[in-house]
Amino acid sequence: MNLLSSGTRLRDMIRAIRACKTAAEERAVVRKECAAIRAAISENDPEYRHRNMAKLMFIHMLGYPTHFGQMECLKLIASPGFPEKRIGYLGLMLLLDERQEVLMLVTNSLKQYPCYCGLLLDLNHSNQYIVGLALCALGNICSAEMARDLAPEVERLLQFRDPNVRKKAALCSIRIIKKVPDLAENFINPAAALLKEKHHGVLISGVQLCTDLCKVCEDALDYFRKKCTDAVVRVLRDLVNSPYAPEYDIAGITDPFLHIRLLRFLCVLGRGDADASDCMNDILAQVATKTESNRNAGNAILYQCVETIMSIEDNSGLHVLAINILGRFLSNKDNNIRYVALNMLTRAINVDAQAVQRHRATILECVKKMSFQISFPVPSILVRLTATLFQDSDASIRKRALELVYLLVNESNVKPLTKELIEYLEACDHEFRADLTAKICSIVEKFSPDKIWYIDQMLKVLCEAGNYVKDEVWHALIVVITNAINLHGYTVRLLYRALQASNEQETLIKVAVWCIGEYGDMLVNNVGMLDIEDPITVTESDAVDVIETSIKRHNSDNTTRAMCLIALLKLSSRFPPCSQRIKDIIVQYKGSLLLELQQRAIEFNSIIEKHQHIRSAVVERMPVLDEATYSGRRAGSLPTTASSSNGPSVNLPNGVSKPSAVPLVDLLDLSSDDVPAPSSSGGDFLNDLLGIDLSPVPSQSGTSQNKNRGTDALLDLLSIGNPPVANSSPTPDIMSLSLESKSSGGTLVGLSSLSPVSTQSPASSTATPIVDLLDGLSSSQPSAGTNGPEFPSIVAFESSSLKMTFDFSKSPGSPQTTSIKATFTNLSANIYTDFIFQAAVPKFLQLHLEPASSNTLSASGSSFVTQNLRVTNSQHGKKPLVMRIRIAYKLNGKDVLEEGQINNFPRNL
């Protein structure tokens, strides 16, 4: 007999395929076998049809195409014998799915396709095993059309005499209601009847059917809450108190699978319903206390019980019991159990944070080593639990525990928890330091009680893991240091000691160099000594030594070296006896291959040699930096609603929440064009702070700069809508700086004001404007078009305190250019002063702003402020206008900022 004929047995074909040495030989064997099967199919030979189908299923599992045998499945289903039907249904489930066109033959017509009629007959067959085959196939590949046609038969089989058929009918019903949710109402009563079953297989299938019905049908959920909650509680109570049953016993627990299904059903019933939750409180407490936790089966039940407790309506006693169970899970040796416990605790914080706080010590130990000891007082039970968590070698558990610790921190426990985390930072693995450092810095910023504690903790982090600290973190630290005026001496001495002990952390060097450059005289003279400090003797030469050592480190980056040069320039003014030595150090970098360092060295050397009369003014100590402004830039932009700052410092590190703001990229790319996103964390602010990329600054009055305080440097850099500037002159060279230039403030913020109010004389309004960095500005004033098309006015922005309307006009010859008249109305009962309107547009638009008509908005809309804008759309007819606006003013002496985005411009602008 030919081994590859249609009469070849399945085992012979498998043996022939396994004997192949190469993939090519296997393909040849499969090809010949498929050819023999095709020949048998074409001959319509029923003798070996079931054998051929078995071989096709094996070939299908090897990954070869078997579509030519799909019709044979339907022929086998229509056969009268049970063996043929079994192979046919198995092939139907394996070779076909609901997307196959062949399966449509099963569902299209009862009269036209007898095979479908055979499936319908199988559901009504007297043989329960054939009925089971049909239900099994229907539950696996049922399509929406098939579900609608056969749902009545499946519903009828839910009351069949045999429990196995009822079980399969319930499982088949689950697929039907998922495919056609409209049929769910038909299954509510039969599903409720299944909850009274004694057979565990039928009961667990019925519970799952009821659960899925509740998810797809609100009527079913209401029905089960009213009619079945007590019945489900009773079933669960009987199951918990049932005697030993060997057929359902797993690890000494009776049917844990049914336990879990019932608890999940109760979770669905109790969520959002106080009455249903009250009915199940007792049984949940009973399950939580009586279930053994020394086996996985018991732990699975307890976990589901905790999830149910956390999902139903509030019961503080049950919540504490659930958290205690999770606490026991944290002490388990199994990593998987600890991991799911940490996940559940993270979710539980939103439900009952106070109960979770009782286990914070346990959670803290998830991140620590085994030998690490707790140093702050906690309840004894927490000490026992804490000993298990930071000790595990599993990084995923430590990371999840760290996230949970981060969520548990508040004002009352920030000091001990931060102390523990910083001490663990000394011993943790390097791959874990980045996450841990970021979490510690965030905790310190959010919840620090005072500035001295904030500075102390941040310096500890810089000393231990400074290389892992992000730039925006140490930028914020410098901002806080400048605001802590009475701590300048303490901080610079602390940094000097830290730098003497170790100079391996790059970020620590940057902060220390900046502080020594600013407050070096305080370091030498021991200014501002605190009681907690030990006296220290530092000479002027010692301070210069620290800077010289830092700049000559072989692994110092360019930013560090640039900061060192700035610090040396400042020390040359503060320490005149060391001026020549500092000059010699700076001169060494006049030949640097890095243009930035070379330029700085040349300029600074020129200041020391030729411009000593202005040196003290140029290197004057930095003013106090506004924390609120910097925090807004760190978040991406300023808040979308009005916000006020209470005084010069908002004390951001002391726990004030940061505003959730629209990303700065919206200011540049409102139309989703491919534009590089601006650098994060306010890098331009750092330029102002450190003097990096020193740009020549045009002379401006101090009043004008104060009005623009807080203006986003990114918007200034765009130079959108710059007004004409009085007495503008060519950009001066840094070598020719004079004392008069000091009034400009020396910061990039003063480079260009977006739209200050009109405070210049008429003569000055015709002065040459600052050149736009993007496209240049024209000094011509926009003229309102009177003969162009008319557009309706819009309310561009409105808040509880301010309203802005836009009136539009166009010139007939320039459809791309739109003139806009903005009218501002004060809706409050207070007068707004120092009014400034700013706007930004995407790159395909060009914007020009004229000065506002006034810088004061009268109360209650008694008068208006107007301002003209001119927008040129290079994509006119393709892209609509869009604009981001920001309005700044003072209310009772406090700065207020409002921001929004305008998308409702009329069409064809």
Side-chain angles (χ1 to χ4, degrees), residues 753-778:
S753 172
L754 289 183
S755 178
V757 296
S758 177
T759 56
Q760 295 139 338
S761 64
S764 66
S765 64
T766 61
T768 303
I770 298 175
V771 176
D772 194 311
L773 294 179
L774 297 181
D775 58 352
L777 292 176
S778 171

Side-chain angles (χ1 to χ4, degrees), residues 356-383:
V356 180
Q357 282 284 354
R358 297 176 62 247
H359 291 271
R360 70 174 186 269
T362 308
I363 299 159
L364 189 63
E365 285 299 314
C366 271
V367 191
K368 291 184 181 177
K369 300 291 183 182
M370 183 178 295
S371 60
F372 198 79
Q373 300 297 324
I374 304 171
S375 60
F376 63 92
V378 292
S380 58
I381 183 174
L382 295 184
V383 174

Side-chain angles (χ1 to χ4, degrees), residues 13 28 96 109 189 233 257 318 331 339 378 450 554 591 597 909:
M13 187 194 73
L96 283 79
S109 172
N189 290 325
V233 169
F257 298 102
L318 280 179
S331 303
Y339 188 83
V378 292
D450 50 58
H554 68 281
L597 298 182
L909 278 181

Side-chain angles (χ1 to χ4, degrees), residues 108-179:
N108 276 344
S109 172
L110 292 176
K111 296 179 181 179
Q112 190 174 357
Y113 299 102
C115 50
Y116 178 80
C117 191
L119 178 60
L120 183 60
L121 290 174
D122 287 344
L123 290 176
N124 293 278
H125 205 281
S126 57
N127 188 331
Q128 62 185 16
Y129 299 107
I130 293 179
V131 176
L133 286 176
L135 286 171
C136 188
L138 197 60
N140 279 279
I141 62 169
C142 173
S143 62
E145 293 82 3
M146 191 182 295
R148 290 188 180 94
D149 291 336
L150 299 179
E153 299 300 324
V154 176
E155 182 183 348
R156 178 183 58 80
L157 291 174
L158 288 173
Q159 301 173 4
F160 197 78
R161 64 182 183 278
D162 185 73
N164 289 322
V165 173
R166 294 200 300 273
K167 177 182 69 175
K168 293 183 179 181
L171 296 175
C172 185
S173 301
I174 294 173
R175 184 176 180 91
I176 289 175
I177 64 173
K178 287 181 177 179
K179 290 294 178 184

Side-chain angles (χ1 to χ4, degrees), residues 311-482:
S311 300
I312 66 174
E313 289 305 294
D314 184 39
N315 186 306
S316 57
L318 280 179
H319 287 168
V320 173
L321 181 60
I323 298 300
N324 287 336
I325 292 173
L326 295 178
R328 293 205 305 272
F329 283 178
L330 295 179
S331 303
N332 199 293
K333 296 180 180 179
D334 191 318
N335 287 347
N336 294 326
I337 294 176
R338 286 205 293 274
Y339 188 83
V340 297
L342 290 169
N343 275 338
M344 180 57 73
L345 283 169
T346 303
R347 292 166 53 189
I349 287 178
N350 298 326
V351 179
D352 196 341
Q354 188 173 1
V356 180
Q357 282 284 354
R358 297 176 62 247
H359 291 271
R360 70 174 186 269
T362 308
I363 299 159
L364 189 63
E365 285 299 314
C366 271
V367 191
K368 291 184 181 177
K369 300 291 183 182
M370 183 178 295
S371 60
F372 198 79
Q373 300 297 324
I374 304 171
S375 60
F376 63 92
V378 292
S380 58
I381 183 174
L382 295 184
V383 174
R384 177 175 58 82
L385 297 177
T386 303
T388 63
L389 277 195
F390 270 109
Q391 66 187 10
D392 202 279
S393 58
D394 193 321
S396 62
I397 289 182
R398 295 204 307 272
K399 186 173 181 179
R400 181 63 71 183
L402 177 61
E403 294 173 0
L404 188 54
V405 169
Y406 178 73
L407 294 175
L408 288 175
V409 177
N410 55 35
E411 291 82 356
S412 62
N413 60 22
V414 60
K415 288 189 176 182
L417 282 179
T418 304
K419 181 176 182 295
E420 296 296 327
L421 292 176
I422 291 178
E423 290 183 6
Y424 174 57
L425 185 61
E426 303 174 8
C428 72
D429 300 331
H430 288 285
E431 61 270 16
F432 192 56
R433 283 196 170 193
D435 286 339
L436 183 55
T437 301
K439 288 291 190 294
I440 294 174
C441 293
S442 180
I443 288 170
V444 171
E445 283 193 37
K446 285 184 178 181
F447 302 108
S448 62
D450 50 58
K451 282 186 169 60
I452 187 170
W453 185 85
Y454 171 85
I455 293 172
D456 287 343
Q457 305 312 309
M458 292 301 296
L459 293 189
K460 289 178 183 178
V461 174
L462 292 180
C463 292
E464 295 297 335
N467 293 334
Y468 297 93
V469 174
K470 296 181 179 179
D471 287 347
E472 60 264 25
V473 175
W474 66 268
H475 298 172
L477 174 60
I478 288 179
V479 173
V480 173
I481 291 173
T482 63

Side-chain angles (χ1 to χ4, degrees), residues 539-746:
T539 64
E540 296 178 350
S541 180
D542 292 337
V544 176
D545 286 342
V546 170
I547 306 297
E548 183 179 11
T549 302
S550 300
I551 198 173
K552 291 183 177 180
R553 286 175 69 248
H554 68 281
N555 53 352
S556 289
D557 60 24
N558 297 335
T559 303
T560 303
R561 290 192 172 100
M563 293 176 66
C564 289
L565 288 176
I566 296 173
L568 288 171
L569 177 63
K570 293 191 174 187
L571 292 182
S572 67
S573 176
R574 290 162 174 69
F575 303 153
C578 298
S579 181
Q580 184 59 40
R581 179 188 171 190
I582 292 173
K583 177 177 174 295
D584 294 339
I585 299 173
I586 292 177
V587 167
Q588 297 176 19
Y589 290 89
K590 291 176 67 175
S592 174
L593 296 178
L594 296 173
L595 181 60
E596 175 72 18
L597 298 182
Q598 181 187 115
Q599 180 182 352
R600 286 170 184 270
I602 293 173
E603 292 170 349
F604 294 171
N605 182 62
S606 177
I607 291 174
I608 294 175
E609 284 186 345
K610 304 177 183 179
H611 303 280
Q612 295 185 6
H613 61 288
I614 68 167
R615 182 174 60 180
S616 59
V618 170
V619 299
E620 191 177 69
R621 187 169 295 166
M622 286 289 293
V624 174
L625 303 173
D626 185 40
E627 294 181 49
T629 302
Y630 179 73
S631 65
R633 292 172 185 170
R634 275 191 72 186
S637 69
L638 292 169
T640 57
T641 58
S643 61
S644 61
S645 59
N646 299 322
S649 173
V650 181
N651 293 333
L652 173 65
N654 293 351
V656 176
S657 61
K658 301 179 181 62
S660 59
V662 180
L664 267 177
V665 71
D666 290 345
L667 292 173
L668 302 177
D669 193 13
L670 295 174
S671 63
S672 300
D673 288 327
D674 294 332
V675 181
S679 59
S680 61
S681 72
D684 47 5
F685 188 83
L686 177 64
N687 293 347
D688 299 341
L689 183 66
L690 304 178
I692 296 176
D693 296 327
L694 290 173
S695 300
V697 182
S699 177
Q700 282 185 325
S701 66
T703 304
S704 176
Q705 182 175 351
N706 290 335
K707 290 181 181 179
N708 285 309
R709 184 178 181 181
T711 302
D712 197 313
L714 178 60
L715 293 176
D716 293 336
L717 188 62
L718 288 176
S719 201
I720 299 173
N722 282 310
V725 179
N727 301 325
S728 61
S729 59
T731 305
D733 189 88
I734 193 168
M735 302 299 183
S736 59
L737 290 173
S738 62
L739 285 172
E740 286 78 5
S741 67
K742 177 184 173 184
S743 63
S744 68

